[in-house]
Amino acid sequence: MAAPTKAPESVESAVQKLTIGKAINLGLRRAMEEDPKVLMMGEDVGKLGGVFRITDGLQKDFGEQRVLDTPLAESGIIGTAVGLAVRGFRPVCEIQFEGFIFPGFDQIVSQLAKLHYRSQGKIKMPVVIRVPFGGGIGAVEHHSESPESLFAHVAGLKVVSCSNAVDAYWMIQQAIKSDDPILFFEPKRLYHSGALRADVDTSATPEPLFASRVIRQGTSATVVAYGPSVKVAMDAATAAQDDGVSLEVIDLRTLSPLDLDPVFASVRKTGRLIAVSEAPSESSLTSEIAARVQQECFYSLEAPVLRVTGFDTPYPPAKLEEHYLPDLDRVLHAVDRSLAW
């Protein structure tokens, strides 16, 4: 491979109002500026800038040697990234839609997740796999999945998910700097949401990558969510306030390793927990959260842990997805059930 091209000088100001999609774009750009070993690769990430335009402008500024348009071959993309990581590069792979990740599943779980352990720590695997995930975009089959629980189960992988522009900007950079393989799940239906545009201070000190965070204080019940479900949880907290119900909302942020200490502390205060996720409920992250909370907070619970999730079916056709996805009414119904216990 040719020597990496020299990065252009950054033109960022300290504070910018950004969407989640633009924040990820700027985070990728900053990572490429700071380290010439950072490479972008995936289907249409170069000239097109990705189907969601998240990598827009990167190939123009950094060149085709660092932003690579690949064939439609997820197994090849991940396998190539493994080889690049062995040679000291930090590849960032984009999976165009989360449902396309499964041709690369074997490379991820059998090679990427295992090489550090297999080599007794001699081989690092600083590979980031960006995965646009979740529903709500009116797409066809294989374009609206939530497979994060599958990867959170795999020892050797780390899994995170952003829900806002500030986290999107910082978390992608922190993931790229990590020596461990990280799956970075991005809430694609929120990429370009003007309602979630936020001030991002690019000179700030970011919070730790593998840490959950209380994003709204409350006393009546705890609601924990991640990725696209965080907005639903926050909307429910706002609506519940009109009825005198105070919901504490926690953004999980890290799915593996799970950081549940803030959740335990919150449940010991409120006595109630509702876990929200678009993924099916059986054998899921919400299952793990429910099990761990009853194990650690049993004597604090005033009601069973309730879950509001997608259903245990394949993702439905677009015209039915509004009935499948957790929404404001379903979360508020769970809150009512918990408070009535």
Side-chain angles (χ1 to χ4, degrees):
M1 176 174 288
T5 57
K6 182 180 179 180
E9 292 186 9
S10 174
V11 294
E12 295 182 49
S13 60
V15 178
Q16 300 184 60
K17 190 172 285 292
L18 303 174
T19 61
I20 291 175
K22 185 62 174 175
I24 296 173
N25 177 278
L26 288 185
L28 292 171
R29 177 177 293 277
R30 181 166 177 177
M32 296 188 76
E33 291 170 350
E34 292 181 348
D35 187 348
K37 292 292 188 179
V38 175
L39 309 176
M40 304 291 151
M41 54 194 298
E43 299 159 9
D44 297 318
V45 300
K47 289 182 173 63
L48 184 65
V51 294
F52 296 104
R53 305 300 186 267
I54 303 304
T55 54
D56 188 41
L58 296 182
Q59 188 181 80
K60 172 179 173 291
D61 291 339
F62 293 94
E64 295 182 6
Q65 295 295 315
R66 294 189 63 192
V67 183
L68 295 77
D69 281 317
T70 68
L72 306 183
E74 285 75 17
S75 181
I77 294 169
I78 304 304
T80 301
V82 170
L84 286 166
V86 170
R87 296 302 298 271
F89 289 90
R90 291 184 177 272
V92 181
C93 307
E94 177 181 288
I95 301 298
Q96 198 170 73
F97 287 87
E98 71 295 289
F100 301 167
I101 200 169
F102 297 106
F105 190 84
D106 182 36
Q107 290 281 10
I108 295 171
V109 304
S110 299
Q111 306 302 331
L112 188 62
K114 303 292 195 298
L115 273 167
H116 184 73
Y117 185 83
R118 187 186 302 152
S119 67
Q120 296 183 328
K122 294 181 178 66
I123 298 177
K124 309 290 186 184
M125 278 289 112
V127 177
V128 174
I129 303 176
R130 294 182 42 246
V131 189
F133 83 120
I137 64 169
V140 296
E141 190 177 20
H142 306 308
H143 290 68
S144 301
E145 313 294 330
S146 295
E148 59 272 16
S149 295
L150 297 175
F151 296 99
H153 182 74
V154 177
L157 295 179
K158 293 184 177 178
V159 184
V160 298
S161 183
C162 60
S163 68
N164 59 79
V166 175
D167 278 350
Y169 176 77
W170 289 113
M171 288 172 69
I172 190 63
Q173 295 179 67
Q174 292 169 310
I176 292 169
K177 290 177 180 177
S178 172
D179 285 333
D180 295 314
I182 296 180
L183 276 80
F184 193 88
F185 281 89
E186 304 168 4
K188 61 177 178 281
R189 79 167 179 267
L190 304 180
Y191 272 147
H192 306 297
S193 170
L196 293 180
R197 195 183 300 270
D199 288 332
V200 178
D201 184 352
T202 60
S203 64
T205 299
E207 297 189 31
L209 178 59
F210 302 110
S212 57
R213 181 172 65 235
V214 176
I215 57 175
R216 180 175 178 136
Q217 297 286 338
T219 56
S220 302
T222 302
V223 182
V224 62
Y226 60 88
S229 297
V230 172
K231 182 179 184 303
V232 178
M234 289 293 284
D235 289 345
T238 299
Q241 188 174 21
D242 294 337
D243 294 326
V245 175
S246 173
L247 297 182
E248 183 149 295
V249 180
I250 298 177
D251 183 350
L252 207 54
R253 299 176 76 246
T254 174
L255 312 183
S256 180
L258 280 168
D259 175 29
L260 293 182
D261 285 344
V263 179
F264 298 153
S266 179
V267 170
R268 291 185 182 112
K269 177 176 67 173
T270 67
R272 293 173 168 83
L273 177 65
I274 296 93
V276 185
S277 168
E278 291 187 13
S281 64
E282 191 165 323
S283 302
S284 66
L285 282 160
T286 57
S287 302
E288 178 68 15
I289 292 166
R292 295 276 298 280
V293 166
Q294 71 83 25
Q295 177 179 312
E296 298 293 332
C297 307
F298 181 80
Y299 291 107
S300 299
L301 286 169
E302 301 291 340
V305 176
L306 300 179
R307 297 182 290 152
V308 182
T309 69
F311 298 105
D312 294 318
T313 67
Y315 197 87
K319 64 181 179 181
L320 297 176
E321 67 179 351
E322 65 180 273
H323 302 292
Y324 177 92
L325 294 170
D327 60 10
L328 175 67
D329 290 339
R330 286 177 62 192
V331 174
L332 290 176
H333 179 61
V335 171
D336 288 343
R337 288 171 55 207
S338 181
L339 293 174
W341 198 266

